[in-house]
Amino acid sequence: MTVTSKNRHTEASQPHWLEWVTGIISALLILGMVGWIAGEAILQEETPPQFRAEVRNTTPVQDSFLMEVEIYNEGSATAAAVEVRGEAIDGEDVLEAAEATFDYIPGKSSAKGGLFFKEDPRGHTVEVRVIGFADP
């Protein structure tokens, strides 16, 4: 700690107790974070991508209908070029289908996107699913 005396700066012989407390707390936080990251890296089991798709909203846009979807990757591995297909179904007949490709969905996360339909899919059964992906 620097002490000012008669316009001259001098160092105190003993550091202030607050400096020691701050240093100890900082060291404990850094050691805890390093331990947590190392534990995750060593103990986490690698699982392949596992997808779940949910329809968030459907709205009319210009001359079509936008169906907003969210794709969850519940596995720990990352997936690239994730292909999603949405179908408007009436009974056993597929009335219309739309596809989109998500560039990248990391493990344990999600991505949002949209599918465009010419006809309003809200009055029909809608099925959205992942049909393929690539290893990044």
Side-chain angles (χ1 to χ4, degrees), residues 6 9 25 31 36 41 85 87 94 108-109 122 124-125:
K6 294 182 184 178
H9 296 287
I25 290 173
L31 287 173
W36 176 56
R85 181 176 175 89
E87 297 176 336
V94 175
K108 304 289 184 192
S109 68
R122 292 179 287 193
H124 306 286
T125 302

Side-chain angles (χ1 to χ4, degrees), residues 40-111:
E40 286 287 317
I42 293 169
L43 300 175
Q44 183 176 2
E45 182 181 333
E46 183 76 17
T47 58
Q50 300 170 14
F51 299 105
R52 178 173 50 93
E54 290 184 7
V55 175
R56 291 288 173 208
N57 194 17
T58 303
T59 55
V61 290
Q62 291 181 358
D63 60 345
S64 60
F65 292 85
L66 170 63
M67 178 185 294
E68 297 172 31
V69 296
E70 187 166 4
I71 309 300
Y72 296 90
N73 180 357
E74 296 173 343
S76 62
T78 298
V82 179
E83 295 180 36
V84 177
R85 181 176 175 89
E87 297 176 336
I89 302 169
D90 186 22
E92 292 184 18
D93 298 330
V94 175
L95 301 174
E96 188 176 357
E99 293 183 3
T101 301
F102 290 75
D103 291 334
Y104 180 78
I105 305 179
K108 304 289 184 192
S109 68
S110 67

Side-chain angles (χ1 to χ4, degrees), residues 108-132:
K108 304 289 184 192
S109 68
S110 67
K112 296 177 184 175
L115 301 170
F116 288 99
F117 290 87
K118 283 286 188 192
E119 301 297 323
D120 190 354
R122 292 179 287 193
H124 306 286
T125 302
V126 175
E127 182 180 303
V128 178
R129 61 190 170 93
V130 173
I131 59 174

Side-chain angles (χ1 to χ4, degrees), residues 22-36:
T22 303
I24 291 171
I25 290 173
S26 299
L28 289 174
L29 284 172
I30 290 170
L31 287 173
M33 287 175 24
V34 168
W36 176 56

